[in-house]
Amino acid sequence: MAGVTVAEILTLSALQGAYVTAGRDGLSRLVTGVNVMEVPDIEAFVKPGEILLTTGFPVHDQPERLVALVPELARQGLAALAIKPLRYLPTLPEQL
């Protein structure tokens, strides 16, 4: 199966300034696909090995939903969750 690691993805110029807030042990996970979170019930649409990108818009009125999503996404084998905060999520939930 072809792919790159989460750590390798973080070196891309498009992600300059990105940083890991949690899950440093997952930097060696293999990423085999990309998905975008457009709906709050995204767990029904992810596949193992994906990196999930979001601005947080689908959960902007319930940011704590991200906290509940993380264990389920991990159980399903998601490689990484990338969140671009500020526009729709002024801050990330502390529990995240």
Side-chain angles (χ1 to χ4, degrees):
M1 178 180 293
V4 296
T5 66
V6 173
E8 290 170 318
I9 286 175
L10 286 171
T11 67
L12 298 173
S13 62
L15 293 176
Q16 185 176 13
Y19 55 92
V20 177
T21 59
R24 290 189 188 283
D25 291 345
L27 289 172
S28 62
R29 289 185 184 150
L30 193 62
V31 177
T32 57
V34 178
N35 200 335
V36 177
M37 184 176 174
E38 295 281 338
V39 295
D41 60 339
I42 191 66
E43 61 268 40
F45 305 99
V46 296
K47 295 180 180 70
E50 289 181 334
I51 183 170
L52 180 62
L53 309 175
T54 187
T55 61
F57 179 75
V59 295
H60 73 278
D61 56 344
Q62 288 185 297
E64 65 279 359
R65 175 79 175 106
L66 284 173
V67 176
L69 271 174
V70 168
E72 178 57 25
L73 295 172
R75 188 187 68 72
Q76 291 187 27
L78 196 75
L81 172 63
I83 304 169
K84 182 178 181 180
L86 300 181
R87 181 158 187 190
Y88 300 109
L89 294 174
T91 61
L92 295 176
E94 194 167 316
Q95 303 89 342
L96 195 61

